[in-house]
Amino acid sequence: MKLISFIVPCYNSSEYMKKCIDSLLICGEDAEILIIDDGSNKDNTYEIAKEYEKKYPSVCKAIHQENAGHGGALNRGIANAIGLYVKVVDSDDYLEKRALLTLLSQIKSMIYDNQSPDLFITNYVYNKEGAIHKKVMSYGMTFPKNKLFTWDTTRYFTLGEYLLMHSLLYKTKVLRASNLILPEHTFYVDNIFAYQPLPYVQTIYYLDVNLYMYYIGRKDQSVNEELMIKRLDQQYTVTKKMLKVDIFKVRSKKLRQYMLNYMSMIMTITSVMSIRSKNEYWLMEKEKLWNDLKKENFYLYIKLKHTILGYGVNLPGKVGKDIVVFFYKAVRLIYGFN
């Protein structure tokens, strides 16, 4: 049995995909590596994937598809995964090998004890280009260590503390039970991946290791602010899909509060990027987003609007917009994102 299915979405990734894949090979026969070539057209991404498949036929599988975007590549990977767990590793990132071996050992131990959790959570590192000190996102203040737990036995998340795709290792059956189908040709779907399946997670294990090395800082990266503004249509697609998740059916009060906080963050990002665009169309779309939410889910609207972030992004006039941008820049400086 394969313990982990690594999904590696690749699009014109020949420059850096080898470092990513090589970091995963340390798992040997316990893992499969699904290298999804998402219609690369500028380099030899698929040829490199086929080379790995030929060299490691029982571990690596090269899958070519017509371009469907990051979400389409993840959908294909999840559909083909045979491992007990699924881990997504973007082709410009990599996993720290010692931490990965520790995780693999923990999975084996918990399977032996018949205690394998629905979700493993590990730390990730902002591997920002040019930064001397790398920011580590850990969860030791929120989750108990070295024990199986549920959402109800966690502490409340602090402001600015979120589970991202990089920190998650889902059981494959949990992803499928959640009916996770990500939008194609759309960036930022990792937010849906880190959100929609959570109510289907019953048991969790937090392993305090710095596993995922998240590269950030390249000009063509999707989290670059200029590109985020150009791709605002995709940000809206993701936001609207996340708003469809019925948070108020979530039984755990702590998970429900966390998901409200996360949704508040997503609405804030969408609203701030609309303001930053200085484009009348996106300013109108921002108003429409909030007004539609008010009509379709008034209770969620109240919960999201009546927060500091909710009030902030809806301040009227130019002065209000300037205040929002000022605080956005301050938060960006503190947290070190692009």
Side-chain angles (χ1 to χ4, degrees):
M1 177 180 68
K2 298 291 186 181
L3 299 183
I4 307 176
S5 291
F6 293 108
I7 301 174
V8 183
C10 296
Y11 179 69
N12 298 328
S13 304
S14 62
E15 182 180 345
Y16 36 76
M17 61 189 289
K18 290 183 179 180
K19 181 175 182 178
C20 173
I21 297 167
D22 288 345
S23 73
L24 311 178
L25 288 170
I26 197 168
C27 292
E29 296 293 329
D30 289 319
E32 66 167 351
I33 304 173
L34 303 175
I35 310 168
I36 315 293
D37 171 41
D38 187 43
S40 299
N41 55 17
K42 294 181 180 178
D43 62 15
N44 61 333
T45 291
Y46 187 57
E47 287 74 14
I48 293 173
K50 291 298 288 184
E51 288 173 8
Y52 275 99
E53 183 180 64
K54 183 178 180 180
K55 189 173 182 179
Y56 305 98
S58 60
V59 175
C60 295
K61 184 176 182 180
I63 300 174
H64 174 77
Q65 66 178 24
E66 295 298 314
N67 180 258
H70 195 247
L74 295 191
N75 291 338
R76 185 71 177 273
I78 293 168
N80 282 270
I82 62 172
L84 179 64
Y85 290 93
V86 164
K87 180 71 177 175
V88 177
V89 188
D90 287 336
S91 58
D92 54 349
D93 301 329
Y94 65 95
L95 302 188
E96 203 283 319
K97 292 181 180 180
R98 288 174 296 180
L100 180 53
L101 287 176
T102 301
L103 172 62
L104 189 62
S105 175
Q106 188 62 43
I107 292 173
K108 290 178 179 179
S109 174
M110 298 192 79
I111 289 174
Y112 181 80
D113 292 334
N114 199 29
Q115 287 188 319
S116 56
D118 292 334
L119 174 66
F120 275 99
I121 296 172
T122 57
N123 306 330
Y124 64 95
V125 180
Y126 278 109
N127 188 23
K128 189 169 185 178
E129 187 172 283
I132 298 174
H133 301 291
K134 310 297 185 183
K135 184 175 180 62
V136 177
M137 299 303 294
S138 60
Y139 301 93
M141 298 298 292
T142 304
F143 299 133
K145 299 178 184 179
N146 305 318
K147 62 184 292 188
L148 202 65
F149 60 91
T150 66
W151 294 115
D152 288 327
T153 55
T154 69
R155 302 181 185 91
Y156 283 101
F157 280 73
T158 60
L159 186 63
E161 184 180 28
Y162 300 100
L163 296 169
L164 297 189
M165 184 179 72
H166 320 308
S167 57
L168 305 175
L169 181 83
Y170 286 114
K171 262 189 177 172
T172 308
K173 68 177 184 180
V174 167
L175 289 179
R176 291 173 178 161
S178 72
N179 297 312
L180 182 71
I181 300 176
L182 300 170
E184 296 187 352
H185 302 289
T186 304
F187 284 89
Y188 320 119
V189 295
D190 50 321
N191 289 296
I192 305 172
F193 183 91
Y195 185 80
Q196 184 174 322
L198 294 183
Y200 295 84
V201 170
Q202 301 300 315
T203 54
I204 313 158
Y205 191 94
Y206 169 53
L207 189 63
D208 188 13
V209 295
N210 301 338
L211 176 67
Y212 196 106
M213 306 302 291
Y214 172 36
Y215 184 83
I216 187 168
R218 208 173 57 244
K219 289 183 179 180
D220 64 341
Q221 203 164 13
S222 62
V223 291
N224 177 280
E225 184 182 302
E226 291 182 11
L227 286 180
M228 287 186 74
I229 291 173
K230 288 181 180 178
R231 295 167 177 160
L232 260 171
D233 58 327
Q234 298 171 47
Q235 181 68 37
Y236 273 84
T237 295
V238 168
T239 302
K240 290 174 182 178
K241 185 170 178 60
M242 292 175 67
L243 285 170
K244 296 296 183 183
V245 177
D246 192 347
I247 296 174
F248 302 109
K249 285 186 177 179
V250 175
R251 292 181 179 180
S252 168
K253 181 180 178 181
K254 291 181 179 179
L255 176 58
R256 187 165 62 248
Q257 185 59 53
Y258 166 75
M259 294 182 75
L260 278 168
N261 291 345
Y262 197 101
M263 196 66 244
S264 177
M265 179 191 71
I266 294 298
M267 287 290 281
T268 299
I269 291 172
T270 306
S271 299
V272 169
M273 287 298 116
S274 299
I275 293 170
R276 294 282 284 167
S277 75
K278 299 179 181 179
N279 184 303
E280 191 62 32
Y281 173 81
W282 290 118
L283 292 174
M284 291 175 63
E285 284 295 300
K286 178 181 83 73
E287 296 302 316
K288 185 176 185 300
L289 179 69
W290 283 95
N291 289 334
D292 286 349
L293 177 60
K294 185 177 182 179
K295 294 175 184 176
E296 296 168 10
N297 193 333
F298 183 71
Y299 190 46
L300 181 59
Y301 168 82
I302 291 296
K303 286 288 187 179
L304 296 178
K305 183 75 179 290
H306 293 176
T307 64
I308 294 175
L309 296 176
Y311 279 122
V313 297
N314 287 288
L315 288 171
K318 182 179 183 302
V319 173
K321 293 181 177 63
D322 290 342
I323 292 173
V324 170
V325 171
F326 172 80
F327 279 105
Y328 164 76
K329 289 181 177 179
V331 171
R332 184 176 67 176
L333 184 64
I334 292 169
Y335 288 101
F337 57 84
N338 253 21

